[in-house]
Amino acid sequence: MTDQQVRSFGQALAERFKQIGDEQASAERRFRETLYSSTSTRFEVLELERRRDMTKAAFDSWKEVTDNLPFEIQKAFIDHFQKINPTEDK
């Protein structure tokens, strides 16, 4: 792979990893809100728990993949991920 291809691939992986992380955080937030809501039904809670578990499994799978990338791709991935996923202490 050329340097540009490595960068592009790492960036594309970072974009998708961020999207999966955002989906997981949203699913977790919705589950907790519904769990503690007095107006939610048991079915809603169970459905959101299932969704939360699915997004967690997807995130864990992607994390395993990104942790095992070749060094050059992993560096491009991390560099781009840090740019698109600002931390709270910034």
Side-chain angles (χ1 to χ4, degrees):
M1 289 178 102
T2 67
D3 287 344
Q4 178 58 37
Q5 289 172 323
V6 166
R7 259 191 321 278
S8 294
F9 186 63
Q11 289 172 353
L13 288 174
E15 294 285 342
R16 182 65 180 132
F17 186 73
K18 181 180 183 317
Q19 181 183 22
I20 288 173
D22 291 347
E23 289 169 3
Q24 183 207 4
S26 176
E28 180 67 35
R29 189 171 37 257
R30 288 189 65 214
F31 170 72
R32 290 190 183 278
E33 289 169 356
T34 303
L35 181 63
Y36 297 115
S37 171
S38 60
T39 61
S40 62
T41 66
R42 179 168 166 72
F43 177 77
E44 288 172 314
V45 171
L46 291 174
E47 182 62 26
L48 289 172
E49 181 179 35
R50 184 185 67 79
R51 175 73 178 144
R52 180 200 62 178
D53 292 347
M54 288 174 48
T55 59
K56 172 85 170 95
F59 181 82
D60 290 346
S61 293
W62 268 81
K63 177 118 180 66
E64 186 176 333
V65 168
T66 58
D67 286 347
N68 292 302
L69 291 170
F71 176 75
E72 298 82 13
I73 297 173
Q74 193 173 53
K75 181 171 177 358
F77 167 83
I78 291 169
D79 290 347
H80 189 68
F81 187 75
Q82 289 174 342
K83 288 178 188 174
I84 63 173
N85 192 43
T87 59
E88 293 182 19
D89 47 87
K90 281 188 178 177

